[in-house]
Amino acid sequence: MDPAAIGSALRLSMVAGRLQDLASGVFVSADLARSYGLSVGDQITVSWPRGGEGALTITGVYQGSILIT
C-alpha cells in the first residue's frame, strides 16, 4: 500500500503536517507529541525488534480516534 494513502484510508485528522507526508517520515499522535514535546521536523530514535536503532523524522501529528490512538 502507498504510505501516503494510509492516512486517507484511516481518515486521520491532522493536527500538523499533511497526509501525503507519511511517505517521507512518521506520524505521531497528538497525545504522544504533547507528552514528549514533539512536533513536525523533530527526529526520534526507534529501536527495531530484531536489533539496532534508527532515526526517523516526524512529518505529521494526528488526532487520535477510536481506530488509531
Side-chain angles (χ1 to χ4, degrees):
M1 174 179 249
D2 176 7
I6 293 172
S8 296
L10 296 175
R11 297 185 180 173
L12 293 177
S13 176
M14 299 304 293
V15 174
R18 302 173 308 152
L19 290 175
Q20 54 268 43
D21 293 335
L22 181 57
S24 60
V26 296
F27 287 2
V28 296
S29 71
D31 289 341
L32 186 73
R34 196 170 19 261
S35 293
Y36 290 94
L38 300 171
S39 60
V40 170
D42 289 348
Q43 286 203 330
I44 57 174
T45 301
V46 295
S47 296
W48 304 115
R50 295 183 182 218
E53 293 183 336
L56 300 173
T57 301
I58 297 172
T59 56
V61 178
Y62 65 89
Q63 186 60 48
S65 69
I66 293 172
L67 293 175
I68 305 292
T69 57

